[in-house]
Amino acid sequence: MGKVTGFLEYDRQEQKYQLAGDRIRHFREFTLPLEERDIKKQAARCMDCGIPFCHGPTGCPVHNQIPDWNELVYSGGWEDALRNLHSTNNFPEFTGRICPAPCEEACTLNLENMPVTIKTIEQAIADKGWQQGWIVPEPSKARTGKRIAIIGSGPAGLAAAQQLARVGHDVHLYEREARAGGLLRYGIPDFKMEKRHIDRRVTQMEAEGVTFHYNVNVGVTVPFAKLAAEHDAVLMTGGAEAPRDPGLPDTNLGGVHYAMPYLTQQNKRSGGEDLAKVTPILAGGKHVVVIGGGDTASDCVGTAFRQGALSVTQLDIRPMAPQLEDKLTVWPYWPTKFRTSSSQAEGAEREFQAATLGLEGRNGRLTGVKCARVDEKRKPIPGTEFTLPADLCFLAIGFAGSLIEGMIEQSGAAVDKRANVVANETDYRTSVDKVFVAGDMRRGQSLVVWAIREGRQAAHAIDKQLMGETILPM
């Protein structure tokens, strides 16, 4: 513990944002980092908890040793803090930007609504590591002779690939798109995480021996059986990409889109990728309605504002949550409480307890979204109907599971009723010999930090299966 009375002496201080009127003019990150002296003060606030729930199962999926690196930051041991952070998390600059920080909800100081700014400190450690040149390739000194295929270069695939390459395996990572990152690159907008962070890690991993194969759609352009025959193990980390069916009529109207194609297109546009063969989806000069109350919906809101939308309304079928949770019944678990994302704060109208009844159109184009208020069972209440004018509507209501056609179907791996590939959290083995699975394809739609954890654990399981033992952490 760095300073016994730190939590009494220093108030919680978070990163500030550029003003909304300024940040919606670009797609770059807009957080304003704290100065080093302020980061050290925030680290000093970490208490000497008897049981630090922040890095237990309720707080951090990858089990970051948060009190340890907080103390190191406070004492000026930044490089040791980075080493400690990397021991549990391959990509802290990712999670320091986009993780919702369940660790802060589990912080003891959150009992007073003033948790340690763990996420901010994590980002600061990683960013300083890059600035100081401390993050370098760590290639293995010996080769095992084993060849491993990883399909999908999202956070689970990247984490597994780096771990396996560092113990000497010949790792080949196959990606359907033109660049690595999965939803990190194509789902998360640049204003939340610029893609240079991914590019730096790809360069590092290439120097560690990972071979990236782009524009390879396993199960479509390359048969799964061919990859399985050419490798000693195959890890599927393709994510949960099948969108949930909204069950609405007239979703074929012009102007109605699922959220992910919209976000993916803008991310490709921001990255300078070729979109000549794609019909543009742009919100400039339009009234936009986003159906859904989660992070993906919020990302659509922020993207629409940056494209010049006239108005953005977000529909959430859930009631407005309380401003603060009941700590004694919820803490240290993730609470349901009212939250406003940076994108929503840019001017979105939010409608709660609002169900979508249907879509209105004229001459094949969307003109409005029909809604109604709902009761506690989410059933429409008669007489509460209303219509929102809309030129664009984005369906951001989550994912139904993995895409079965193609890779999964050809692999022959067992799938559960939620369209997740069946495997446990001990060995990540599917029902097919030498085929493993991790990330959203196994657990369903989840957080980036959970994907990193599963990729690391799958790497442990694969190395142990191939070599009989492993030094990789669980």
Side-chain angles (χ1 to χ4, degrees), residues 301-319:
V301 170
T303 300
F305 277 131
R306 282 159 180 77
Q307 291 181 347
L310 293 177
S311 69
V312 182
T313 303
Q314 185 177 354
L315 302 178
D316 194 333
I317 199 169
R318 301 169 298 182

Side-chain angles (χ1 to χ4, degrees), residues 127-326:
D127 288 351
K128 192 174 185 67
W130 283 109
Q131 292 162 7
Q132 296 296 322
W134 297 332
I135 301 176
V136 295
E138 300 176 27
S140 174
K141 296 179 181 178
R143 311 303 298 173
T144 64
K146 301 294 185 180
R147 182 181 169 100
I148 301 168
I150 298 177
I151 307 169
S153 67
L158 289 173
Q162 185 165 65
Q163 293 293 93
L164 290 166
R166 286 179 172 178
V167 291
H169 297 303
D170 181 17
V171 179
H172 292 259
L173 206 161
Y174 296 86
E175 169 56 46
R176 180 187 59 200
E177 300 290 346
R179 298 176 185 173
L183 288 187
L184 281 171
R185 182 181 296 275
Y186 294 108
I188 294 171
D190 278 30
F191 57 80
K192 289 176 70 174
M193 189 182 82
E194 294 175 9
K195 304 312 179 278
R196 58 188 174 87
H197 303 296
I198 303 172
D199 296 336
R200 289 190 302 199
R201 287 296 183 179
V202 169
T203 299
Q204 179 194 33
M205 291 169 63
E206 288 174 335
E208 292 171 343
V210 178
T211 303
F212 288 81
H213 303 266
Y214 299 114
N215 298 306
V216 178
N217 192 350
V218 177
V220 179
T221 60
V222 175
F224 182 88
K226 184 177 187 296
L227 251 65
E230 295 174 349
H231 297 82
D232 297 292
V234 178
L235 173 63
M236 299 190 296
T237 57
E241 296 185 297
R244 182 174 287 120
D245 183 359
L248 294 173
D250 299 320
T251 54
N252 60 337
L253 286 169
V256 180
H257 306 273
Y258 281 107
M260 288 316 303
Y262 173 59
L263 296 175
T264 296
Q265 186 181 116
Q266 179 55 50
N267 282 325
K268 289 184 175 182
R269 186 178 293 114
S270 297
E273 295 190 37
D274 183 15
L275 293 172
K277 297 180 181 179
V278 178
T279 302
I281 308 172
L282 295 168
K286 297 177 180 178
H287 297 285
V288 179
V289 173
V290 181
I291 300 174
D295 289 339
T296 300
S298 183
D299 292 343
C300 289
V301 170
T303 300
F305 277 131
R306 282 159 180 77
Q307 291 181 347
L310 293 177
S311 69
V312 182
T313 303
Q314 185 177 354
L315 302 178
D316 194 333
I317 199 169
R318 301 169 298 182
M320 182 184 290
Q323 293 290 330
L324 292 175
E325 72 275 22
D326 182 349

Side-chain angles (χ1 to χ4, degrees), residues 385-454:
E385 297 83 3
F386 61 99
T387 300
L388 295 170
D391 307 298
L392 269 180
C393 178
F394 297 119
L395 308 174
I397 55 175
F399 298 88
S402 303
L403 295 173
I404 304 302
E405 299 79 10
M407 176 174 64
I408 295 175
E409 186 176 53
Q410 291 182 19
S411 75
V415 178
D416 65 20
K417 62 182 180 181
R418 299 180 65 186
N420 299 326
V421 179
V422 177
N424 61 42
E425 288 184 77
T426 302
D427 58 22
Y428 290 85
R429 297 175 65 177
T430 70
S431 59
V432 180
D433 184 45
K434 79 175 186 180
V435 178
F436 300 76
V437 65
D440 288 4
M441 189 168 274
R442 188 199 72 85
R443 68 180 294 114
Q445 179 186 3
S446 190
L447 303 176
V448 167
V449 67
W450 272 108
I452 292 173
R453 169 183 168 153
E454 295 222 345

